Structures are given as structure tokens and as C-alpha cells.
């Protein structure tokens, strides 16, 4: 029966290799030359092994005494076809002093099995099949890693090869690095925007999917800012560059993604340390298993040593103990998670930040540009002593040196070109406002703190918005009311965060208390702190960090240059990438490319999905291996179970890790009742059951554990030789009960 199963497996492997070779001929498959060669090796080794199985040992008896060695030579050819690179890597590891790795384990186990077969003139099938199935697992791992890298490289295929500059009526392609700030570049339909800039001529639609994950095209016209990495779809655009290529969005994104793998998570560090201890430990354990029991049998029990049995067990032990599933799948899971997040428009600078983000329970927001659009408009002018247009003119000129959204709104309300020659002695006072000399008049524009600083009595305003008090030549000249617009998804974003398990949402802003309270109330925030300077924001975040439980992490979301210190101080800093300042993006650990606050909950869900996959792989890989190692040591498992413990688990873990790439369907678990479908209601009901039945869940796990312990106890007793124990009746019942309880427990896990 076993022979039929093995032959069936070999036929499946051969057919799989043929199918994959056919698929690999398609360019879309993305299969490397090395992977195609490996498929040919797998196919050749499998077909040869099948032929040898069909022929059997009797076919070589015609050669007489030499038949044994001819048969060995043919099997060795098959072994070398499939395993020569493993032997080579093991040899290099030994020469470099890095002995204990998976290649060494596999080389020793298979060569040892071959040596036993030669000694006994037995079956060489196991040794070659182990190497064959190991290579199948390695191929799947290689293809999975390649797929993750291709997904990220395809996603990040935004690096422009050239920039078009019009010279003497002709377009000339130049290196983007050679294009200076202020240069007019031309982007034709179908080309990538190479450098950040402003559209000075033309209209078009842009594909921003590679940057933001947003499939809908974006319309642009003259005067609109445009970021590099987008693809121009329709019209011809003339763009005046505002940054050098090295400082443009596309360069920064590429740098973030390329360096992400260098920042390892705690889980990856744990696995690296674990592998360094685990591999030598199992090698010494296998050596002890091969030597100690025979010696005990010889000198302690007066029995035959039975060296062949125990050496075979030791070799099987080595095959099963190979840590491939762990050392491959865990980094792959994080790599795939970062790739999946990038695809959704969320750039994570490293797997350590992905791990920290999954633990975020407190989310702190900046207001302007984060929860609000940062698009300010002048709505009213009160208590003015001069003409409204003149007051706005003075305010716009005084604020002309600032890039703050409020300053831009004043300049927009003025509506004319700013004559900087009329403005001198500009002093920007952080958290207060601006003092400047305009047409030989001292103009102060800012909040009530600035007025108090100048000894000017400000008249309070009852309107909700940002109040810009004006003082000209030391006298109060009225105030301008500027209001910001809340982003369309901000309220929904807060709700989705709470449904995603965020315990507290907080807003920190330098804006007036009335404005801040109004926004916080509209959005449903838990806490709000207003009229804060940049240093006050850092202090407030430090207080929140001190007062939270140790295991909870605090995330801060901001976009302005004044948010950079807070982004660095928080456990995890999240920056709005599209409109955010360069300083904020540099300081942040996570960058949202489309400035949509809904992306925050998506980022948290992606990180939790990735960490969930990591923990699943750790539990499955270690759990299965330990169980198999115990069974092998007690003599209840052979080389085929060891192959499953190694190759089978590795393939399962790798395929599971690939799931981290797919994040499209991640959505809020809390939806209004009128929009809630039956599947969502079912998932929520399951969540409630989990909460109510925690005690039962613990009981089921306890019973499962004791059933498994009982099973192992029976197996141990059997290994000692007490045949009268009737284990053949007890074992099936214990296995059945353990599996039933374990599956029931998993249903609510």
C-alpha cells in the first residue's frame, strides 16, 4: 500500500512540474531562469525515480554481483541531479564556520540514509525522495518570495527613466537628476511624472494607483500641484518643477520601500535567535539519539545494540527538525505585509513599525490637514477700523513669507500678486502669529496671545473658526474669521478606528478652544486639547504615554512641520504623505499617500492581519515539529512523516505568508445597522460568542491538551514494551477526542 502512495505522490510531483513549466513560459508568470531550471531538475529526478521504482531491484540482478553497484550508481545520479546544490551549500557553510543550517541538516540526513541503504543493500528511495520533496518546498518558497518582490517592484515601478525638456521646439529626454528647480518639463500621455511640480499649461487625468492605491483617476489643470510617480493618461502637461528629483515624492517612496526590510521586528529577531540555538540543539539531540540508546541497550540491558534502528531514527529526527518553515515564512510574512500595505497606499518603513502598529490602542491626531482639509477660507471680518479689502491686503502681505494654510487662505482672499518689496522685517512667532513692516506700517497678524504680547486689547469673536486679530501701528484694527473644512471621511475614520479596537482617540491642536471643541464634538473624539504650541504637543503625548498600559501603543497622526517632534516621540508616527510636509514624512514611521484618515484603520488592520499570520506560522511550525520529533524519537514515525514535518509545514507556512499581500477586502467591522449585511451581522455575533464563552474556550483547550498528553503517554508506555496495555483500542479514542475538542476550540479562536 505504501508503495502505491509513494508512486502516486511522485506522479503528482511530475505532473505539477510539467504544468508549472508550461505556466512559466508565459511572461506574466514572472518565473526566473533559475526557477525554470529547478523545475526541470525536479521533473528529471522524479521521472527517473519512478522508472527505478517500476523496474525494481530485480532488474539489476542480470548484472550479477556488479548489479548492486550499478543500481547504487543509478540512484546516486538521481540523488545528485536533485541535490547537488544542497550538498554544495552545506560544504560552503562548513568552510565558512556556519555549520548548523537547514542545508547541513538535509545533507547529513540524506547521506546518512544512503549509507544505511548501502550497508543493508536496501531501498534508496527514502533518501532521494526526502531531497526531492525538500527541493519542491524550496521551489515554492523561492517562487513565493519572488512573487512578493515582484508585487512590490511592480507597485514601485514608478521610477522615471527620463524627463522631457522642450528646446527649440523639440522634446529632449534628459536624466531627471539633471533637472533643476523651476524647470518646465513636458509630460506626454502614457508617461510618468518624473518630478514634483505645478501644472503651468494643460489639463489631464492622472493614474495615482501606484502611490495611493486609489483606482479612480485624478483630474488636474493649470495651477494644480502634481507629485511624481503618477501616470499621465490623457492630455499634454507642462509642469514647472518645485523640487529636485532626489527630494521628490517618487524618490522618497522608493527609498522607504527599499530600506523597509532592514528594520526587523521583534518576532524576526526572536526567530533569528531561536534558529541559532535550535539548530545546534537538534543536531546534538540527533547525535545523542543515535548513540545513547544503543549503548544503554548494550551495557545496561544486555541486549543487542540495534545500531541501524537508532541511526535511522536520528536521521529521520534531523529531517523533521529542519527550521525552514520558521526562518523563511516569518520574514516573508512581514515582507508580504509591507508589500500589501504599499499596494493600498500605506508605506511602512520597516517590519518593526508594522508590529508596533498592530498594538496601537490610542490614536492622537493633529487637526489641520489631518482631520480637516487644511483648506481655509475667509468667512467674515469683524470690528474693522478700515476697509475690509485693505485689512485683508495688510494681512496677506504680512503673512506672505509663510506656507501655512491660513497664510495661503489670506493670500487667496487678497486675490492679487504679492509684492514682496512692500514687506520688510518679517518676524514669525511660533504659536502666536506674524509681525512685519508693510508700507512703513507695523502690522501684527495672529491670535489673542500675540495681541497680549503687544499690549493690544483684542475683541473676542463668537464665530467658530480661526480668528486672526490685526493690529496696525500698535492699534487694534479688527479680526478676520477663517474656517477650515472637515475632511469627508474624518467622522467615519474615527468610528472605524474604534471598531478596530482603538481604545481612545485624542486631538491636539494649536487652534482656538472653541474651534477645537466644535471639530472634536462633530467627529466623536474622546479627548481634545487646544491652543498648544509644538512643545506642548510633545509634552501632552508624553503624558498620554506615561498614563497608558505598557503593552498598549500610542500612534500620532500629523502632517505639518510642527508635527515632526511629536511624530518621533510617539510609539508609532503616521504622516499624511500627499499634502504633508517633508519633515513630517521623514519623522514618521508610516506614511499615508492619499491623506485620507480612513487609511489609518486600514493600516492597523493590515498590520494585525500580518501579525496574525506570523503567529499562526510560529505556532503551526513549532507545534507540528515538536509533535513529530517526539513521535520519531519514540519510534512511531518514519522518514515520510519527517518529510511532512519539514517540507509540508514549510509549504503551508509559505502559502499562508503570501496571504499578507492581499489586503483589498479589509474593511470596517462596525457598520451602521441599516447598511449591515447578513455576513457582517454573523461575524459580529461570533465576536460576541467569543467574548461570552471565554471560559468554555479555555476548558476545551485544556481537555484537548490532556488528551494529547494522554496519547503521548500511551505511546511512551508502548515504546517500553508493555504490549498488554491494549493501546490499539485506547489510541484511536484518544486521537478522536483530542481532534474533536481541538477543532471545536479552533472554531472560536
Amino acid at each position: 500500500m505504501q508503495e502505491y502512495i509513494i508512486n502516486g505522490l511522485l506522479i503528482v510531483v511530475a505532473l505539477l512540474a510539467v504544468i508549472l513549466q508550461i505556466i512559466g513560459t508565459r511572461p506574466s508568470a514572472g518565473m526566473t531562469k533559475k526557477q525554470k531550471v529547478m523545475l526541470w531538475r525536479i521533473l528529471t529526478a522524479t521521472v527517473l525515480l519512478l522508472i527505478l521504482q517500476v523496474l525494481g531491484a530485480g532488474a539489476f540482478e542480470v548484472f550479477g554481483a556488479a548489479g548492486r553497484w550499478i543500481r547504487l550508481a543509478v540512484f546516486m545520479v538521481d540523488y545528485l541531479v536533485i541535490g547537488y546544490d544542497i550538498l554544495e551549500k552545506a560544504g560552503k557553510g562548513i568552510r565558512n564556520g556556519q555549520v548548523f543550517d537547514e542545508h547541513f541538516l538535509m545533507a547529513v540526513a540524506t547521506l546518512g540514509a544512503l549509507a544505511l541503504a548501502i550497508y543493508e543493500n536496501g531501498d534508496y528511495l527514502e533518501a532521494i525522495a526526502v531531497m526531492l520533496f525538500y527541493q519542491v518546498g524550496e521551489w515554492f518558497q523561492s517562487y513565493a518570495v519572488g512573487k512578493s518582490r515582484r508585487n512590490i517592484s511592480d507597485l514601485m515601478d514608478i521610477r522615471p527613466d527620463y524627463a522631457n525638456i522642450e528646446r527649440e521646439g523639440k522634446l529632449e529626454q534628459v536624466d531627471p537628476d539633471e533637472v533643476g528647480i523651476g524647470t518646465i518639463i513636458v509630460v506626454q500621455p502614457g508617461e510618468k511624472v518624473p518630478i514634483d511640480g505645478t501644472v503651468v499649461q494643460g489639463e489631464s487625468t492622472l493614474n495615482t494607483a501606484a502611490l495611493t492605491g486609489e483606482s479612480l483617476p485624478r483630474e488636474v489643470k493649470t495651477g494644480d500641484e502634481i507629485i511624481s510617480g503618477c501616470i499621465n493618461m490623457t492630455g499634454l502637461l507642462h509642469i514647472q518643477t518645485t523640487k529636485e528629483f532626489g527630494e521628490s515624492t517618487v524618490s522618497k517612496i522608493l527609498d522607504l520601500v527599499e530600506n523597509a526590510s532592514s528594520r526587523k521586528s521583534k518576532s524576526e529577531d526572536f526567530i533569528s535567535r531561536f534558529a541559532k540555538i535550535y539548530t545546534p540543539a537538534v543536531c546534538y539531540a540527533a547525535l545523542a539519539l543515535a548513540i545513547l540508546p544503543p549503548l544503554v541497550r548494550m551495557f545496561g540491558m544486555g541486549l543487542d545494540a540495534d545500531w541501524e534502528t537508532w541511526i535511522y531514527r536520528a536521521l529521520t529526527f534531523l529531517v523533521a527538525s529542519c527550521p525552514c518553515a520558521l526562518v523563511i515564512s516569518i520574514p516573508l510574512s512581514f515582507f508580504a505585509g509591507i508589500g500589501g500595505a504599499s499596494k493600498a497606499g500605506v508605506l511602512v518603513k520597516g517590519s518593526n513599525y508594522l508590529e508596533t502598529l498592530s498594538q496601537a490602542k490610542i490614536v492622537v491626531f493633529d487637526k489641520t490637514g489631518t482631520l480637516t482639509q487644511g483648506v481655509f477660507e475667509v468667512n467674515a471680518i469683524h470690528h474693522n477700523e478700515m476697509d475690509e479689502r485693505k485689512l485683508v491686503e495688510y494681512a496677506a502681505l504680512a503673512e506672505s513669507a509663510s506656507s501655512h494654510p491660513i497664510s495661503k487662505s489670506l493670500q487667496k482672499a487678497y486675490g492679487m500678486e504679492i509684492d514682496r518689496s512692500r514687506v520688510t522685517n518679517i518676524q514669525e512667532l511660533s504659536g502666536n502669529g506674524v509681525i512685519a513692516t508693510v508700507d512703513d506700517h507695523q502690522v501684527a497678524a495672529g491670535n489673542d496671545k500675540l495681541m497680549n504680547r503687544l499690549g493690544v486689547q483684542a475683541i473676542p469673536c463668537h464665530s467658530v473658526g480661526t480668528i486672526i486679530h490685526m493690529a496696525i501701528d500698535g492699534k487694534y484694527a479688527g479680526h478676520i474669521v477663517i474656517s477650515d473644512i472637515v475632511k469627508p471621511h474624518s467622522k467615519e475614520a474615527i468610528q472605524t478606528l474604534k471598531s478596530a479596537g482603538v481604545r481612545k482617540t485624542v486631538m491636539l491642536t494649536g487652534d482656538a478652544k472653541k474651534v477645537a471643541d466644535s471639530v472634536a464634538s462633530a467627529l466623536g473624539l474622546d479627548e481634545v486639547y487646544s491652543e498648544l504650541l509644538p512643545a506642548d504637543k510633545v509634552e501632552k503625548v508624553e503624558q498620554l504615554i506615561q498614563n497608558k498600559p505598557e503593552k498598549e501603543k500610542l500612534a500620532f497622526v500629523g502632517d505639518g512641520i510642527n508635527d515632526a517632534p511629536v511624530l518621533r516621540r510617539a510609539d508609532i508616527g503616521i504622516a499624511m504623505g500627499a499634502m504633508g510636509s517633508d519633515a513630517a514624512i521623514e519623522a514618521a514611521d508610516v506614511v499615508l499617500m492619499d491623506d485620507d484618515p480612513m487609511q489609518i484603520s486600514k493600516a492597523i488592520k493590515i498590520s494585525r492581519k500580518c501579525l496574525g499570520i506570523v503567529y499562526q506560522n510560529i505556532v503551526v511550525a513549532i507545534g507540528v515539529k515538536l509533535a513529530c520529533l517526539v513521535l520519531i524519537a519514540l519510534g512511531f514515525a518514519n522518514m515520510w512523516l519527517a518529510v511532512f514535518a519539514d517540507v509540508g509545514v514549510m509549504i503551508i507556512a509559505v502559502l499562508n505568508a503570501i496571504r499578507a499581500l492581499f489586503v483589498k477586502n479589509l474593511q470596517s467591522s462596525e457598520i451602521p445597522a441599516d447598511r449591515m449585511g447578513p455576513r457582517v451581522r454573523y461575524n459580529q455575533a461570533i465576536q460576541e460568542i467569543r467574548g461570552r464563552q471565554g471560559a468554555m474556550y479555555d476548558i476545551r483547550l485544556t481537555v484537548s491538551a490532556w488528551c494529547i498528553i494522554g496519547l503521548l503517554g500511551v505511546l511512551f508506555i508502548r515504546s517500553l514494551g508493555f504490549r498488554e496495555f491494549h493501546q490499539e483500542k485506547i489510541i484511536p479514542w484518544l486521537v478522536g477526542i483530542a481532534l474533536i475538542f481541538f477543532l471545536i476550540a479552533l472554531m472560536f479562536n
Side-chain angles (χ1 to χ4, degrees):
M1 183 68 182
Q2 181 175 322
E3 185 180 348
Y4 291 120
I5 294 172
I6 293 167
N7 290 340
L9 283 173
L10 292 174
I11 291 170
V12 169
V13 170
L15 290 173
L16 183 63
V18 172
I19 293 168
L20 289 173
Q21 277 287 14
I22 295 170
I23 294 172
T25 57
R26 303 173 185 172
S28 59
M31 206 176 288
T32 65
K33 184 179 179 181
K34 187 177 179 181
Q35 289 165 351
K36 292 177 182 178
V37 171
M38 176 53 72
L39 281 177
W40 279 115
R41 287 172 58 194
I42 290 171
L43 181 60
T44 304
T46 305
V47 171
L48 183 56
L49 199 57
L50 276 169
I51 293 171
L52 290 170
Q53 280 290 99
V54 172
L55 290 175
F60 296 91
E61 291 178 358
V62 296
F63 298 104
R68 174 183 179 181
W69 303 108
I70 294 172
R71 177 170 171 260
L72 171 63
V74 176
F75 273 102
M76 285 301 298
V77 168
D78 199 6
Y79 177 79
L80 292 174
V81 166
I82 194 63
Y84 74 86
D85 55 332
I86 301 298
L87 299 177
E88 186 180 355
K89 289 174 182 176
K92 285 182 179 178
I94 295 170
R95 286 198 303 271
N96 297 330
Q98 298 174 348
V99 178
F100 299 111
D101 60 10
E102 63 270 22
H103 304 116
F104 174 78
L105 295 182
M106 199 56 56
V108 170
T110 54
L111 288 174
L114 281 173
L116 279 178
I118 294 169
Y119 175 74
E120 298 173 348
N121 192 22
D123 194 359
Y124 304 105
L125 173 66
E126 281 190 346
I128 299 173
V130 166
M131 185 65 79
L132 174 64
F133 288 120
Y134 176 78
Q135 290 285 40
V136 171
E138 286 285 292
W139 187 92
F140 274 104
Q141 175 262 324
S142 172
Y143 187 74
V145 171
K147 184 175 174 59
S148 298
R149 292 189 182 278
R150 282 194 303 278
N151 282 353
I152 292 179
S153 61
D154 290 345
L155 170 73
M156 293 294 108
D157 189 23
I158 54 179
R159 188 187 299 276
D161 300 317
Y162 58 87
N164 294 321
I165 296 178
E166 192 169 357
R167 292 173 180 168
E168 298 178 358
K170 295 183 180 180
L171 290 181
E172 183 180 334
Q173 295 183 356
V174 300
D175 192 322
D177 280 317
E178 298 175 2
V179 179
I181 297 173
T183 306
I184 304 295
I185 61 173
V186 180
V187 182
Q188 302 177 97
E191 293 183 334
K192 300 164 190 169
V193 178
I195 306 170
D196 295 6
T198 304
V199 179
V200 293
Q201 184 182 333
E203 295 181 4
S204 184
T205 35
L206 301 177
N207 181 350
T208 63
L211 298 175
T212 67
E214 179 57 59
S215 57
L216 293 174
R218 175 190 163 197
E219 303 289 335
V220 291
K221 60 183 184 302
T222 302
D224 290 345
E225 292 184 358
I226 187 171
I227 59 176
S228 52
C230 304
I231 299 174
N232 184 21
M233 297 174 66
T234 54
L236 185 71
L237 293 176
H238 289 73
I239 301 169
Q240 185 175 28
T241 60
T242 54
K243 295 180 181 178
E244 292 181 350
F245 176 68
E247 296 298 318
S248 61
T249 303
V250 64
S251 295
K252 290 187 175 181
I253 292 172
L254 290 167
D255 183 64
L256 291 181
V257 175
E258 287 167 1
N259 293 323
S261 60
S262 63
R263 301 176 178 94
K264 289 188 176 182
S265 65
K266 290 181 180 178
S267 301
E268 286 180 287
D269 287 335
F270 162 73
I271 294 301
S272 298
R273 292 195 304 271
F274 176 81
K276 288 180 181 178
I277 299 169
Y278 169 83
T279 308
V282 294
C283 286
Y284 291 129
L287 184 63
L289 187 63
I291 295 174
L292 293 181
L295 293 177
V296 171
R297 287 175 63 87
M298 285 172 61
F299 300 109
M301 303 173 68
L303 301 173
D304 180 53
D306 197 13
W307 287 99
E308 296 89 347
T309 299
W310 292 101
I311 290 173
Y312 178 80
R313 286 189 191 182
L315 295 173
T316 308
F317 190 92
L318 280 179
V319 173
S321 65
C322 190
C324 305
L326 281 174
V327 297
I328 291 169
S329 67
I330 306 310
L332 180 60
S333 300
F334 281 110
F335 193 74
I338 291 171
S342 301
K343 207 167 188 175
V346 179
L347 296 180
V348 184
K349 294 185 178 180
S351 53
N352 55 330
Y353 303 125
L354 200 67
E355 189 171 41
T356 305
L357 186 61
S358 68
Q359 303 164 3
K361 293 293 182 180
I362 302 172
V363 180
V364 183
F365 296 90
D366 174 49
K367 181 181 77 71
T368 307
T370 303
L371 294 173
T372 63
Q373 292 185 358
V375 180
F376 293 84
E377 295 179 352
V378 175
N379 286 336
I381 298 173
H382 300 151
H383 306 291
N384 49 303
E385 299 292 330
M386 61 176 66
D387 181 69
E388 290 184 359
R389 287 194 58 79
K390 192 66 177 175
L391 188 66
V392 171
E393 182 182 351
Y394 276 129
L397 288 166
E399 295 271 6
S400 61
S402 175
S403 60
H404 194 278
I406 290 175
S407 304
K408 289 183 177 180
S409 67
L410 289 168
Q411 295 168 36
K412 185 179 178 182
Y414 174 48
M416 298 178 67
E417 189 175 349
I418 301 290
D419 185 1
R420 295 291 295 272
S421 64
R422 296 170 58 189
V423 189
T424 57
N425 302 325
I426 299 174
Q427 300 177 55
E428 191 165 350
L429 306 174
S430 181
N432 288 257
V434 175
I435 300 174
T437 302
V438 181
D439 297 338
D440 298 325
H441 295 283
Q442 187 190 56
V443 178
N447 53 24
D448 52 0
K449 293 179 183 177
L450 181 62
M451 296 297 108
N452 292 334
R453 186 169 183 164
L454 298 174
V456 176
Q457 183 64 44
I459 300 174
C461 184
H462 299 288
S463 300
V464 176
T466 301
I467 312 301
I468 306 297
H469 295 282
M470 298 290 298
I472 298 175
D473 294 329
K475 295 181 180 180
Y476 192 72
H479 57 245
I480 302 169
V481 182
I482 298 174
S483 58
D484 194 2
I485 303 169
V486 175
K487 289 183 177 180
H489 295 150
S490 289
K491 187 174 182 178
E492 191 179 354
I494 302 300
Q495 292 174 347
T496 57
L497 280 173
K498 290 181 177 179
S499 70
V502 172
R503 182 174 60 83
K504 184 190 290 186
T505 53
V506 184
M507 185 175 76
L508 306 180
T509 178
D511 216 336
K513 188 177 187 305
K514 185 185 293 183
V515 177
D517 290 346
S518 174
V519 173
S521 176
L523 298 180
L525 293 161
D526 297 317
E527 295 178 12
V528 57
Y529 302 94
S530 54
E531 300 178 355
L532 300 175
L533 297 172
D536 298 330
K537 288 184 180 180
V538 175
E539 186 179 343
K540 188 59 65 178
V541 165
E542 286 178 343
Q543 289 177 9
L544 290 168
I545 290 173
Q546 288 173 2
N547 296 331
K548 68 175 178 63
E550 188 177 348
K551 291 184 178 180
E552 293 185 357
K553 301 298 182 184
L554 181 144
F556 180 84
V557 189
D559 73 315
I561 191 168
N562 61 330
D563 296 325
V566 203
L567 287 165
R568 288 196 179 277
R569 181 64 187 89
D571 295 322
I572 188 84
I574 304 172
M576 298 290 185
M579 297 296 291
S581 71
D582 291 345
I585 294 171
E586 288 291 333
D589 309 312
V590 178
V591 181
L592 310 179
M593 292 310 301
D594 65 353
D595 288 348
D596 186 352
M598 284 292 291
Q599 292 287 78
I600 302 167
S601 61
K602 183 185 282 188
I604 292 174
K605 289 173 183 176
I606 289 171
S607 67
R608 289 177 181 171
K609 178 181 179 179
C610 180
L611 265 293
I613 290 170
V614 167
Y615 296 145
Q616 289 167 16
N617 283 346
I618 290 174
V619 170
V620 170
I622 293 178
V624 171
K625 280 193 181 295
L626 288 178
C628 290
L629 290 176
V630 171
L631 291 173
I632 290 166
L634 295 176
F636 298 108
N638 57 14
M639 192 69 78
W640 298 107
L641 182 66
V643 169
F644 170 75
D646 177 35
V647 180
V649 174
M650 180 177 69
I651 291 174
I652 292 169
V654 166
L655 293 177
N656 191 39
I658 292 299
R659 292 197 301 117
L661 276 171
F662 307 108
V663 298
K664 279 187 178 180
N665 296 326
L666 287 179
Q667 43 186 282
S668 171
S669 60
E670 186 154 323
I671 301 172
D674 59 339
R675 294 166 51 197
M676 191 181 289
R679 184 168 179 83
V680 175
R681 286 195 291 269
Y682 170 78
N683 289 336
Q684 287 195 350
I686 291 296
Q687 290 288 344
E688 292 175 7
I689 292 172
R690 289 177 180 172
R692 291 196 302 268
Q693 298 191 1
M696 285 298 297
Y697 175 64
D698 292 339
I699 291 170
R700 285 191 293 271
L701 282 183
T702 303
V703 173
S704 301
W706 280 109
C707 287
I708 293 168
I709 291 169
L711 173 63
L712 293 175
V714 172
L715 293 175
F716 179 71
I717 290 170
R718 182 187 170 188
S719 71
L720 296 177
F722 296 99
R723 304 285 178 181
E724 66 275 9
F725 195 76
H726 300 294
Q727 70 281 346
E728 68 277 359
K729 296 180 181 179
I730 296 174
I731 290 173
W733 281 101
L734 285 172
V735 171
I737 294 169
L739 285 174
I740 290 168
F741 276 103
F742 192 67
L743 289 172
I744 293 172
L746 287 178
M747 287 176 62
F748 298 98
N749 185 14

